[in-house]
Amino acid sequence: MPTDHRTAPIIPPKLHHATFVTLKLDEMVGWYGLVCGLQPVHYSEAAAWLTNDEANHRIALIAHPAITRPVNKSTSAGLHHTAFEYATFGQWLDNYVRLREHGITPFMCLDHGLTMSMYYADPEGNGVEIQFDCFGDWGASKEWMWASREFAENPIGE
Ligand SMILES: [Fe+2]
């Protein structure tokens, strides 16, 4: 019997990974390892697939001779940043101190209300947000984002 698309539930796929093309493969692998604890599962001269959890990869990096230097990256349409989340404020802050000791500091810090976020730039200039959830609970922070006047009036934060 064919599926009735009027009543069948949508089973959404989960977000799994982001892929970047790069002119700085080795530098990018090193940076994501240091900043996000992403380690290569497969690493060749042409590409690397990195993960920091149970998934086979979360960030993929592809180096190809046809790749060119980006133009006006910060004002071009496209991906602005990827984001990684810590479970606690202490871990989030400790990571800031750890990275600062390596000379890696955020270019922007924001209190979004639902998260506290530090934004870093990877060696190619891609944004990487490191955050923790101020509510400690995705259901609660989603509810606040959806329903609060505070978020509606200032969705970016301070
Ligand atoms: Fe973000």
Side-chain angles (χ1 to χ4, degrees):
M1 187 174 154
T3 305
D4 184 345
H5 292 287
R6 293 168 302 176
T7 56
I10 296 167
I11 301 171
K14 287 188 174 172
L15 184 63
H16 185 273
H17 67 271
T19 298
F20 297 98
V21 291
T22 181
L23 295 164
K24 303 173 182 175
L25 179 62
D26 293 339
E27 201 181 334
M28 289 282 274
V29 170
W31 194 89
Y32 278 95
L34 183 61
V35 173
C36 305
L38 287 147
Q39 295 300 316
V41 173
H42 187 89
Y43 189 1
S44 72
E45 287 188 6
W49 287 264
L50 317 174
T51 190
N52 65 1
D53 65 12
E54 66 280 4
N56 50 29
H57 67 291
R58 291 301 191 184
I59 296 285
L61 304 165
I62 295 171
H64 186 276
I67 294 164
T68 57
R69 196 180 288 275
V71 179
N72 296 330
K73 196 173 189 69
S74 61
T75 55
S76 299
L79 183 71
H80 183 266
H81 63 268
T82 53
F84 296 84
E85 186 172 270
Y86 276 109
T88 70
F89 180 82
Q91 290 175 345
W92 176 75
L93 212 54
D94 286 348
N95 190 59
Y96 163 77
V97 172
R98 182 183 68 82
L99 292 177
R100 189 183 60 186
E101 286 165 2
H102 289 277
I104 297 173
T105 53
F107 64 84
M108 179 170 64
C109 300
L110 281 174
D111 175 354
H112 284 298
L114 70 160
T115 64
M116 297 286 278
S117 298
M118 299 185 199
Y119 293 83
Y120 296 83
D122 78 13
E124 292 282 18
N126 304 298
V128 174
E129 177 181 3
I130 310 282
Q131 68 182 33
F132 87 96
D133 191 305
C134 299
F135 293 78
D137 176 281
W138 281 1
S141 60
K142 187 191 282 184
E143 168 77 16
W144 184 82
M145 195 178 185
W146 176 71
S148 78
R149 174 180 289 254
E150 211 177 337
F151 185 79
E153 289 177 348
N154 183 7
I156 301 300
E158 310 293 337

